[in-house]
Amino acid sequence: CNNKRITKSFKEINEIYKAVKLTTTSFKFIFSNISKFSYPYQIINFFKFICGNYGQLKMAYKPICTSGSDNSILHSNNYTKKLQNNQLILLDIGCKFNNYCSDITRTFPINGRFNKSQREIYNIVLEANIYCINNSKINTIWNELSNKCFIIIYEGLLKLDIVKKVSDLYKKIDLGKLFMKHSLGHNIGIDVHDVCSILVLKENMVITIEPGIYFSDEQCLNKNVNKSVWKKYKNIGGIRIEDVILI
Ligand code: GLY
Ligand code: MN
Ligand code: MN
């Protein structure tokens, strides 16, 4: 593990900031033009077009743009499924700026309005995202923060009656993990998944915070999942909210 790359210099932070800024600017253009898109590849091409206007032609990684039930496919590269009204788009995309990466995910309704069940799940993910960002501080132990994220997901699903009450802490974490099958985040820099696993947060680290909830069939086999309620949410597919933060 290359220690020099765990924390970033002022110059590096500045380049990542510019990559993030350009990515969020492009997201805003996409949101205000959303009604014009019928396919994911059109959204991605539009993103590339905007970044190109700012002189940045490199993507940080292969973008993910899915809709509806496909949102549960974590690394889908299928860009040709027609977008359908009433579904959520999951867009995970980032440009490079002078070789430094950004990595942002937004999940949003194609028609501009969340329905009730979409909003309920979105709010759980948002709560986890905000909690984890607010508690990402110098000396935070990453594993503890990750477990807290899984517990927030579990508690949110419990309130909606999607999962059953369990008292053991590790069972709560496991149920959270059943719906969020990836880590809370990673270092970011020259590589989108930059060197070293995160252990303890240090000043001038740049990391992602990316909680999510995804619905997949095998959840039904778990005795702590309420199948009849779960069925009502399943078609949402998945929701992730990902941000890049500086410690
Ligand atoms: N886009 C890859 C990731 O979020 O880790
Ligand atoms: Mn990421
Ligand atoms: Mn991402």
Side-chain angles (χ1 to χ4, degrees):
C1 188
N2 186 342
N3 287 329
K4 285 199 180 131
R5 283 178 64 179
I6 296 182
T7 58
K8 268 60 182 184
S9 67
F10 178 77
K11 188 171 175 296
E12 289 179 302
I13 289 167
N14 205 26
E15 302 294 18
I16 299 169
Y17 177 80
K18 286 185 210 156
V20 168
K21 195 82 188 142
L22 181 51
T23 298
T24 54
T25 298
S26 305
F27 262 101
K28 283 177 192 158
F29 276 113
I30 289 168
F31 292 150
S32 47
N33 286 280
I34 197 67
S35 61
K36 297 182 186 146
F37 305 119
S38 305
Y39 293 93
Y41 68 82
Q42 294 170 327
I43 296 178
I44 290 166
N45 286 340
F46 189 62
F47 181 92
K48 289 180 177 171
F49 170 76
I50 297 161
C51 293
N53 277 331
Y54 287 85
Q56 302 303 321
L57 298 174
K58 288 191 203 154
M59 293 290 100
Y61 52 93
K62 238 179 157 179
I64 298 162
C65 184
T66 51
S67 62
S69 56
D70 282 3
N71 291 356
S72 64
I73 306 169
L74 289 185
H75 293 285
S76 168
N77 293 133
N78 177 0
Y79 304 134
T80 56
K81 193 178 132 192
K82 199 167 192 312
L83 303 173
Q84 283 178 39
N85 209 10
N86 300 324
Q87 290 189 331
L88 296 179
I89 300 179
L90 187 154
L91 178 60
D92 182 343
I93 199 163
C95 66
K96 283 196 174 189
F97 200 100
N98 294 341
N99 293 318
Y100 281 85
C101 297
S102 70
D103 178 8
I104 291 180
T105 308
R106 291 292 180 266
T107 311
F108 52 96
I110 295 170
N111 63 9
R113 264 195 91 75
F114 286 99
N115 67 30
K116 183 168 175 285
S117 54
Q118 290 167 343
R119 179 176 291 118
E120 285 168 338
I121 300 298
Y122 187 91
N123 282 339
I124 303 171
V125 180
L126 184 62
E127 185 188 338
N129 172 281
I130 291 171
Y131 179 92
C132 293
I133 290 175
N134 287 343
N135 288 279
S136 290
K137 297 179 180 158
I138 299 168
N139 292 333
T140 294
I141 297 167
W142 185 245
N143 202 29
E144 289 178 2
L145 188 64
S146 298
N147 283 344
K148 185 66 198 178
C149 174
F150 294 127
I151 290 170
I152 292 171
I153 303 260
Y154 158 78
E155 283 172 348
L157 295 170
L158 177 67
K159 263 189 213 146
L160 297 178
D161 215 20
I162 296 173
V163 296
K164 297 178 189 168
K165 194 169 171 58
V166 292
S167 40
D168 182 75
L169 187 67
Y170 291 98
K171 283 198 176 142
K172 291 181 188 181
I173 292 170
D174 280 348
L175 272 173
K177 283 182 179 173
L178 184 65
F179 287 82
M180 177 182 156
K181 291 195 167 167
H182 57 70
S183 61
L184 176 59
H186 50 85
N187 286 309
I188 182 167
I190 295 173
D191 292 311
V192 63
H193 288 185
D194 218 21
V195 291
C196 309
S197 310
I198 306 173
L199 299 173
V200 179
L201 298 182
K202 297 188 180 142
E203 187 169 17
N204 293 332
M205 280 173 77
V206 183
I207 64 167
T208 67
I209 293 287
E210 49 183 300
I213 293 178
Y214 313 90
F215 293 90
S216 55
D217 284 337
E218 88 284 355
Q219 289 159 352
C220 247
L221 303 172
N222 190 300
K223 67 176 184 349
N224 289 316
V225 173
N226 276 323
K227 286 160 200 68
S228 55
V229 184
W230 174 89
K231 268 190 201 146
K232 291 188 215 153
Y233 290 88
K234 182 188 181 313
N235 287 339
I236 292 173
I239 292 176
R240 174 163 69 256
I241 308 174
E242 175 173 26
D243 289 300
V244 176
I245 64 165
L246 167 66
I247 308 300

